[in-house]
Amino acid sequence: LELAPLCTQAHVEGLSASGSISGVLPLRIANGRVWVDSGKLASDGPGLLRYNPASPPAALAGAGETVLKALSNFEFESITATVSGDILNDLRIALTMSGKNPDLRAGAPISFNLNLSGPLGNVARQGITGYRLGPEVIPGLERNTAPPNGVTDSPPPQ
């Protein structure tokens, strides 16, 4: 599945991507509802993710500036996702992305763990509901150097 048309169909302001993902999304239909049972998706190789919303989601308060900067030109090495739940009422997606932004911290490695939940249409539009920078990026954030372009760093929430 190519990411570019998927981003277009998601109608998320400021989101674009290149690359592709593949995997299995086992569907079950019961009582007029459609469920995904432990689906797995993964990138087929490296790619590019750009997220530049005009109005950032409220969930990115605090360390949001750093996260938005990282996602503005995120060259991913890998993306994996597990998908489960009722697609119209309570879909849950656990997304892990590893890569770098060459414009941030001299391209230091970055890992994101994102948890999205809700009806399928809302999951795509709700923005980031949870994130955690991976341990490999923490040394870069703790350096006593000024961040580029006035970006401020905060430690990830625990």
Side-chain angles (χ1 to χ4, degrees), residues 36 38 54 75 85 106:
V36 177
S38 301
E75 297 175 354

Side-chain angles (χ1 to χ4, degrees), residues 17-34:
S18 64
S20 62
I21 57 172
S22 59
V24 177
L25 295 174
L27 298 178
R28 176 174 45 97
I29 300 173
N31 300 323
R33 295 176 129 168
V34 180

Side-chain angles (χ1 to χ4, degrees), residues 3 11-12 20 34-35 48 60 69 77 110 123 145 149-150 155:
L3 293 175
H11 300 290
V12 176
S20 62
V34 180
W35 299 78
L48 179 64
L60 290 177
K69 177 69 175 173
E77 290 297 318
I110 302 170
V123 167
T145 59
N149 301 323

Side-chain angles (χ1 to χ4, degrees), residues 48-68:
L48 179 64
L49 176 79
R50 288 192 170 128
Y51 181 54
N52 295 301
S55 182
L60 290 177
E65 286 183 46
T66 301
V67 171
L68 283 171

